[in-house]
Amino acid sequence: MDRLRDQVATSAVLERTKGTLMALTGCTPEAAGEQLLQRAKAGNRTLLEECWITLGALMPSGPGAAQEPRPDHGFPGSAAVPGPTAPRAVPPGAAVPTGRDTSDLDDGFSALGRLGKALVHVATPQDLAGCLLEELAADVDADALLLFRSLPGGGLEMIGHAGIEATLATQWSQIPPLSGIPALDALRSREPRWLEDFERDRRQHLLIGDPPERWLSRAWLPVPTGDGAEVCIGVLRARNGPFSPQARQLLRAVARLCAGWLRSFGPRSEHSAAASAAAAQPVFDSLPGSAMLLTPLRAPSGEVEDYRIDAATEEAVDVVGRTGRELLGRRILECFPSMAEEAVWHGCLRTLTTGGPFEGEPFAYQEVVDGAVALSTHAMRAARLGGALVVTWVRHDSSDRQEQRLADVQRLGNLGWANWNLVTDEGSWSSQAFLVLNRDPALGPVRLADLPELALPEDAPLLARAVRDVVRTGQQFDVPFRIRTGDEVRHLRMVAEVVADTDNKPAEVHGFVQDLTAQRSAELALVESEQAIVTQHGVLRAERTLAARLQHALLPLPTRPVRLAGLRVEVAYLPAQSGIHVGGDWFSAIELPDGDALFVVGDVAGHGIDAVATMAQLRFTAKGMVITGSSLTGALARLNTLLLHSRDSHGTATMVLARFDPAEHCLMWAQAGHPPPLLVRDGQVRYLQRPLGMLLGACSDPNFEEARCVLQPGDRVLLYTDGLVERPSERIDRGLDRLAAAVAAHHTDEPGSLAPLLTSVLHGERRDDVCVVDIRVPSGPE
């Protein structure tokens, strides 16, 4: 079988070559065959080699174009045939002149004989590249082989490759007409380019490869095909150094053999395809529906990787809204990504290969109609036209589907359509209109003039006036009205307009009625809620004003530092900036009858009048207890009992009590769930160790302890509420560290330094009140 296939393939090349000679010289088949044998023998070539060389040099450039052999324009190793300026007749039976002897093709090149036989089985340029690499690998040390074809715009297109990866082939599949491209230079000059010094070549040329050092020497040979060269062969070698004279001679001969295959069986120029597409567009302009002419775009491997849109009807529209001629030249996967679906893609490939038509399953397609995106159902059909595809889209939306959509719109929008014929005085309503107007469909539509009777008496005059105006003046109306359905009142909206006849007289009124009951109920509920919010807001503001006045009366702030038991004391109170309630933070700083100083800072949980009342109760009770002789821990225990058993108490509170003895310079203090005091001594900042103590009002039998701290000249103690150190979603440890750092940075003995300190600590909106008592021990007499 292999032998028979070789005979058939060889016979096809031989008969084609004989036919070409017969067409050019008018000789008989026997004479043509004899001529080929004599020339092969004279040139020390095989018959197949001679056939390929003859086809490359003598093949007419177009179908039916009988003309004499053309000169090869100086391609090395080719037959130099003088070319006249006009075709001249060749007597029948005359031999075709071959010019100078071509015996310079060394008969030692066994590769040419093998290549001549291998070419008869080559079907595609990709096959040709693989065949050439296989035959040349041993003779010229070829490691990769590329085939490039010139494009009408001046660039190059890769049509075959072997010995390189698909990724690299894709990167170099299209080459623009740049300078420094060796393949382009070879085609323009029609002379081979030998790149044999890599360091020099990389400075002068743009070299293929990732990295280019992969191939240290290269050769680019144009393939002579008539008047010029459209295809260039690239031979890439991993080793450095020049090509030997024998290798150069062999490669020139290979280019001549390939010329015969390319002219006989290889790809043709795309000029004809472009001309066909240009001729097809006027036909598509006149076609209805959505249709396109698609030309397959093939990868270097020969597989179809995309399609180019060469003609399109005006109704063809892609996913972004481009239509008709706006689609020309674009790729199908760019404009219609749904074409990549497996069943559709393979269906089109089968049509392209077999010629059988293809019709896909219906599919959902998103299109742009009048600037809006719509989803519709289509089916795609494809038919082959030459080497291209004609693809059409058939819409499957029926009138039943449109009616169903209309019914869905009415149901979802809770509206119904209504029409009245003013000539016959008849009306027609949709089923949803009967539901909205609460009318039995068996009774039929009401007359347009009787429509106001359906409304409540207080709304009927407005609707009647609108009906009269639309009939008399043609003015469109949009009127709200109410109807009663049992014990329920529905809020409706009627919109209608007039359609005039040819004499511009009102002939029909159509419009819709919509049920807005749910929307109107929500609006009324929103209004009531807004009114309640406004009322509550006013009550809260009044409460805040009262609480603020009460707090100011109970907790007056000194405007300057005060002297207590030899200490200088400053006080600051900052209300919260968020919310409208007044907080329960408070302080007390007094001198006791025995000369000691009492300092109290507390924070009542909550805000408002109740918090202010509890604050006042604790403030005055604590002072009274300590003045009458109670210890600090005893006062805290009694205050805890007061909060637990008093009906007017406000939950819980934190507090710190401190008593300063000027004789011993000792500060005794106790706390109930309160942040510890901060001590500044010799520029060092630390928090005092908290004694045992639970917040007030949380436990019936708490345990409180006292702590002592001997103050030295220059010491500073800060008592504060938690609003100074607490922030939402942050641990209190970070707030304490932030306060300590700010005090260390802003420490000064000058009066009035408390305000800058608070400004540096408090950033953003304050969500809680802040109360601070700043106690300083003078460093000397003041």
Side-chain angles (χ1 to χ4, degrees):
M1 291 299 295
D2 290 340
R3 186 169 60 254
L4 289 175
R5 278 193 289 265
D6 288 343
Q7 291 177 0
V8 171
T10 302
S11 177
V13 176
L14 178 60
E15 295 302 321
R16 188 178 184 92
T17 309
K18 289 166 60 176
T20 302
L21 287 175
M22 291 166 58
L24 293 174
T25 65
C27 66
T28 63
E30 293 77 8
E34 184 63 29
Q35 227 182 110
L36 288 172
L37 286 172
Q38 292 178 1
R39 289 166 54 183
K41 184 177 180 180
N44 198 21
R45 293 186 290 270
T46 66
L47 182 59
L48 272 178
E49 287 181 72
E50 188 62 42
C51 288
W52 289 125
I53 294 173
T54 302
L55 286 174
L58 305 181
M59 191 68 187
S61 61
Q67 63 186 36
E68 67 174 316
R70 293 183 177 272
D72 65 350
H73 300 280
F75 284 97
S78 63
V81 181
T85 57
R88 57 183 176 85
V90 180
V96 178
T98 58
R100 67 178 176 86
D101 183 22
T102 58
S103 60
D104 58 335
L105 298 181
D106 192 338
D107 60 357
F109 290 160
S110 59
L112 289 179
R114 298 193 307 268
L115 181 59
K117 293 181 61 175
L119 286 179
V120 300
H121 299 293
V122 171
T124 66
Q126 182 67 19
D127 296 341
L128 177 61
C131 175
L132 291 177
L133 181 60
E134 182 179 355
E135 300 299 334
L136 297 176
D139 292 279
V140 296
D141 292 335
D143 296 292
L145 194 135
L146 308 178
L147 294 178
F148 279 103
R149 176 178 56 182
S150 62
L151 295 175
L156 293 177
E157 175 188 27
M158 185 182 293
I159 59 174
H161 65 85
I164 68 171
E165 301 82 8
T167 302
L168 185 59
T170 302
Q171 294 173 352
W172 289 86
S173 60
Q174 299 281 339
I175 300 178
L178 303 174
S179 60
I181 304 294
L184 271 175
D185 295 342
L187 286 174
R188 289 167 180 165
S189 65
R190 296 195 290 278
E191 290 287 344
R193 287 290 183 265
W194 309 99
L195 280 63
E196 299 164 326
D197 186 338
F198 180 77
E199 294 301 328
R200 181 191 62 194
D201 296 334
R202 72 186 308 175
R203 294 191 297 268
Q204 297 178 357
H205 302 284
L206 182 60
L207 301 181
I208 293 176
D210 188 16
E213 294 85 349
R214 180 177 176 182
W215 296 294
L216 298 178
S217 59
R218 308 154 191 252
W220 294 95
L221 297 101
V223 179
T225 53
D227 289 337
E230 293 183 352
V231 177
C232 189
I233 301 175
V235 179
L236 283 61
R237 303 192 306 179
R239 70 177 183 85
N240 204 352
F243 289 82
S244 66
Q246 292 80 10
R248 293 192 179 196
Q249 191 173 348
L250 173 60
L251 291 177
R252 290 191 183 99
V254 167
R256 291 186 57 207
L257 291 183
C258 292
W261 183 91
L262 289 169
R263 289 186 62 88
S264 302
F265 305 100
R268 293 289 183 263
S269 173
E270 294 184 353
H271 294 298
S272 58
S276 299
Q281 184 56 47
V283 177
F284 276 73
D285 288 338
S286 62
L287 292 178
S290 178
M292 291 185 299
L293 177 65
L294 306 181
T295 299
L297 302 176
R298 300 183 181 273
S301 62
E303 297 180 358
V304 176
E305 61 181 4
D306 208 337
Y307 294 87
R308 185 181 63 247
I309 303 174
D310 283 339
T313 61
E314 187 61 33
E315 294 184 26
V317 56
D318 71 352
V319 292
V320 297
R322 292 176 294 223
T323 61
R325 290 177 177 262
E326 294 176 346
L327 301 172
L328 301 187
R330 299 185 182 275
R331 298 200 170 200
I332 193 70
L333 294 182
E334 168 196 352
C335 302
F336 301 88
S338 59
M339 283 282 290
E341 196 272 327
E342 185 175 2
V344 176
W345 185 262
H346 289 293
C348 291
L349 287 180
R350 284 195 302 272
T351 298
L352 194 63
T353 304
T354 65
F358 166 74
E359 182 170 355
E361 295 293 329
F363 62 92
Y365 172 63
Q366 181 176 295
E367 59 183 348
V368 180
V369 180
D370 297 331
V373 177
L375 194 65
S376 57
T377 303
H378 289 73
M380 194 198 78
R381 297 173 180 173
R384 190 173 72 181
L385 179 63
L389 288 179
V390 176
V391 177
T392 58
W393 281 268
V394 180
R395 196 183 189 96
H396 280 265
D397 293 334
S398 63
S399 58
D400 293 339
R401 185 181 180 88
Q402 295 291 354
E403 290 178 4
Q404 181 61 43
R405 288 180 177 177
L406 181 59
D408 292 341
V409 169
Q410 294 184 78
R411 176 178 54 83
L412 295 174
N414 206 7
L415 55 85
W417 299 97
N419 294 278
W420 289 274
N421 190 317
L422 301 180
V423 178
T424 62
D425 200 23
E426 296 177 347
S428 62
W429 291 0
S430 68
S431 58
Q432 191 71 20
F434 286 97
L435 291 175
V436 171
L437 291 168
N438 193 36
R439 182 173 176 82
D440 187 356
L443 299 176
V446 301
R447 298 171 58 248
L448 181 61
D450 299 335
L451 184 64
E453 298 177 2
L454 301 178
L456 293 181
E458 51 267 39
D459 295 341
L462 178 62
L463 184 57
R465 183 166 58 253
V467 169
R468 288 195 303 271
D469 291 343
V470 74
V471 174
R472 293 176 182 175
T473 65
Q475 181 179 0
Q476 175 184 329
F477 72 78
D478 186 344
V479 177
F481 65 97
R482 294 168 293 170
I483 64 172
R484 183 172 295 279
T485 59
D487 296 334
E488 180 188 7
V489 175
R490 289 187 183 178
H491 294 264
L492 307 182
R493 172 196 180 201
M494 185 76 185
V495 179
E497 65 180 2
V498 165
V499 178
D501 57 15
T502 55
D503 297 328
N504 203 27
K505 294 181 180 180
E508 183 179 299
V509 173
H510 62 231
F512 68 88
V513 59
Q514 186 175 18
D515 189 347
L516 300 178
T517 303
Q519 177 181 339
R520 184 59 179 162
S521 300
E523 291 175 352
L524 293 175
L526 180 61
V527 170
E528 293 177 0
S529 176
E530 289 177 347
Q531 291 175 348
I533 290 174
V534 170
T535 302
Q536 181 68 15
H537 196 69
V539 172
L540 293 176
R541 283 194 174 278
E543 180 182 332
R544 177 183 175 87
T545 301
L546 176 61
R549 291 177 179 175
L550 179 61
Q551 185 186 53
H552 183 70
L554 298 174
L555 197 66
L557 291 174
T559 58
R560 57 184 179 179
V562 296
R563 297 284 180 177
L564 296 174
L567 303 175
R568 189 181 77 203
V569 181
E570 288 187 61
V571 179
Y573 180 84
L574 301 175
Q577 293 176 322
S578 61
I580 61 174
H581 292 294
V582 175
D585 290 20
W586 55 278
F587 72 94
S588 183
I590 62 173
E591 189 168 310
L592 300 176
D594 59 1
D596 290 358
L598 176 66
F599 304 102
V600 187
V601 171
D603 183 3
V604 176
H607 299 80
I609 296 294
D610 292 341
V612 173
T614 302
M615 175 269 291
Q617 185 182 36
L618 293 177
R619 181 171 186 264
F620 292 114
T621 302
K623 288 196 299 183
M625 289 179 179
V626 176
I627 289 174
T628 57
S630 292
S631 65
L632 300 181
T633 56
L636 288 176
R638 293 184 178 89
L639 290 174
N640 181 74
T641 303
L642 177 67
L643 278 182
L644 286 175
H645 299 286
S646 176
R647 290 184 178 180
D648 299 329
S649 68
H650 194 70
T652 60
T654 66
M655 184 184 300
V656 60
L657 288 173
R659 182 168 184 164
F660 177 70
D661 183 356
E664 297 183 3
H665 299 281
C666 180
L667 180 72
M668 296 173 291
W669 65 285
Q671 61 87 27
H674 204 82
L678 183 145
L679 173 65
V680 183
R681 176 175 291 172
D682 298 329
Q684 301 296 318
V685 180
R686 67 181 177 90
Y687 289 98
L688 300 181
Q689 182 83 26
R690 283 203 320 165
L692 190 65
M694 183 181 295
L695 78 162
L696 303 178
C699 176
S700 61
D701 189 21
N703 186 16
F704 297 104
E705 297 180 354
E706 285 188 5
R708 298 168 57 87
C709 178
V710 177
L711 299 183
Q712 301 176 6
D715 283 357
R716 180 184 186 185
V717 178
L718 284 181
L719 307 179
Y720 52 90
T721 57
D722 58 4
L724 183 62
V725 293
E726 282 188 347
R727 289 185 182 178
S729 68
E730 181 182 88
R731 293 180 55 186
I732 194 171
D733 295 346
R734 294 190 60 183
L736 294 173
D737 293 340
R738 182 169 51 250
L739 174 61
V743 170
H746 294 81
H747 179 60
T748 176
D749 292 334
E750 297 297 326
S753 62
L754 187 57
L757 172 64
L758 297 181
T759 302
S760 66
V761 175
L762 300 172
H763 299 289
E765 184 180 53
R766 291 190 303 277
R767 300 189 177 211
D768 198 2
D769 297 351
V770 175
C771 182
V772 180
V773 175
D774 186 4
I775 304 169
R776 294 175 182 264
V777 180
S779 55
E782 295 187 2

